[in-house]
Amino acid sequence: MTIQTFRTIQEMRTQVAAWKATGLRVGLVPTMGNMHEGHIALVSAALDQCDRVITTIFVNPTQFGANEDLDSYPKTEKSDSAKVATAGGHAMFIPSASEMYPAGFSTRVIVDGLTDCLCGIARPGHMDGVSQVVTKLLNQAHADVAFFGEKDWQQLAVIKRLARDLDIETEIRGVPTVRDEYGLALSSRNGYLNDEEIEIARKLNVILKKTAYDIAAGGFATDECMKAAKALMKSGFSHVDYVECRDADTLEMIDKAEGRSCRIFAAAHVGRARLIDNHLVN
Ligand code: PAF
């Protein structure tokens, strides 16, 4: 199955303008490739709500730290395009690094507040890199709606805020996390794990769900989160970056749920992978 592929911003813009001129609604699904069912769920959500869907693949160097997995991040463009085509996607945007960041590029996008907690602390600069590349992708595509996974809840909150603050017209929508049969959130980084590590990884969701339940039942979030971090270490995670309960929109730390819309967030390391997940507290 073939799928239209844009390599330049101009090619994509020309096609989007032509679609829009005939009244078609355009959806955008930004990804870094290495597609799994979670990405395909984004494409499917976009297809449900839009007439034409563009999926982007760009392994954005500015959101990786010096000791992170940029160089080893799987590049699977051909199979990714085939998966998107099979799902019914209409086009791919696969720019080069120089198309995205030409010589002399010097602009940063920093969303204060929402980025100085959770992954913003554990991965310095990561959220700024995400804000930068997503701002560019939204401006490049001029889509009506863009779709992002709820597994990266902080990323979604940051993107919603930057789109609002910078008057970007594209509507930002979250899509529920896709999980395996044991509740493990699908992630490209699960591919780094062996069988034993996968078993450990599957405990993350179980422990977070129990913690969310205990906080909703009236427990103090700081106590429950501390217990969760200990339980994760006991289950075999080698390091826990954070387990925290925060407001779902502002990401302010919360100690008592008391009817507020809050979520429990965690990031923990097993084998070569750093896994993140979050759950509603209700
Ligand atoms: O979630 C991702 O895959 C990336 O952070 C994104 C949004 C495509 C930006 O590079």
Side-chain angles (χ1 to χ4, degrees), residues 216-231:
F220 278 102
T222 19
D223 298 341
E224 300 304 335
C225 290
M226 196 109 71
K227 281 190 222 162
K230 281 188 186 149

Side-chain angles (χ1 to χ4, degrees), residues 30-32 39 58 60 63 126 130 133-134 148 152 155 159:
T31 82
M32 296 203 304
H39 297 107
F58 181 63
N60 173 38
Q63 69 187 75
H126 167 70
V130 170
V133 78
V134 171
F148 298 87
D152 298 274
Q155 168 173 285
I159 293 168

Side-chain angles (χ1 to χ4, degrees), residues 29-33 39 42 56-64 73 101 123 126 129-134 137 147-149 151-152 155 159 188-189:
V29 178
T31 82
M32 296 203 304
H39 297 107
L42 299 179
T56 77
I57 300 180
F58 181 63
V59 183
N60 173 38
T62 70
Q63 69 187 75
F64 285 79
Y73 201 87
Y101 298 114
R123 299 182 69 190
H126 167 70
V130 170
S131 302
Q132 181 185 51
V133 78
V134 171
L137 289 166
F147 297 82
F148 298 87
K151 180 173 79 70
D152 298 274
Q155 168 173 285
I159 293 168
S188 300
R189 290 179 170 111

Side-chain angles (χ1 to χ4, degrees), residues 52-126:
R52 293 289 180 272
V53 173
I54 303 173
T55 302
T56 77
I57 300 180
F58 181 63
V59 183
N60 173 38
T62 70
Q63 69 187 75
F64 285 79
N67 299 318
E68 294 185 347
D69 54 348
L70 173 63
D71 293 337
S72 58
Y73 201 87
K75 316 269 184 311
T76 50
E77 180 187 312
K78 231 174 160 179
S79 61
D80 289 342
S81 296
K83 285 178 191 168
V84 174
T86 303
H90 301 92
M92 308 294 297
F93 174 50
I94 312 181
S96 63
S98 59
E99 179 75 2
M100 292 298 277
Y101 298 114
F105 187 93
S106 55
T107 300
R108 292 195 288 156
V109 179
I110 295 170
V111 179
D112 283 333
L114 292 177
T115 58
D116 54 25
C117 58
L118 303 172
C119 290
I121 294 176
R123 299 182 69 190
H126 167 70

